[in-house]
Amino acid sequence: MAEALKLRFHKSLYDGDAVARAAERFAALGAATLGESEADWLVTIEPLRESVRERLADELSNHVLFETIVARRAQA
């Protein structure tokens, strides 16, 4: 198993609920832990196979962006 995947999503750009929904969507690939810092939403996924690590980072980031756009459109 590979080292945990750690991603940061800046709060000024991304919706926190969108981050949680996206992380939940990929739960079959590893357990996601959500957190936050002063400026970022944090996602850590482990255990994770090395073969999916890079692709998961890209796909999860894209899905967080998609979920944020959907959430913001619903608010408008």
Side-chain angles (χ1 to χ4, degrees):
M1 289 292 166
E3 181 179 324
L5 175 64
K6 296 179 181 182
L7 300 170
R8 303 172 80 85
F9 299 95
H10 201 277
K11 289 180 178 179
S12 69
L13 299 174
Y14 299 97
D15 179 78
D17 291 332
V19 174
R21 283 191 302 276
E24 184 178 311
R25 186 85 151 142
F26 292 91
L29 297 174
T33 303
L34 304 175
E36 66 180 289
S37 68
E38 186 175 321
D40 299 306
W41 302 111
L42 309 171
V43 178
T44 303
I45 300 178
E46 60 184 337
L48 185 63
R49 293 188 322 253
E50 187 64 39
S51 61
V52 299
R53 180 183 178 77
E54 187 174 322
R55 177 114 188 228
L56 178 59
D58 292 342
E59 294 295 331
L60 180 59
S61 297
N62 286 338
H63 203 71
V64 169
L65 178 59
F66 167 77
E67 290 287 346
T68 297
I69 291 168
V70 169
R72 296 220 171 120
R73 283 186 178 168
Q75 293 171 355

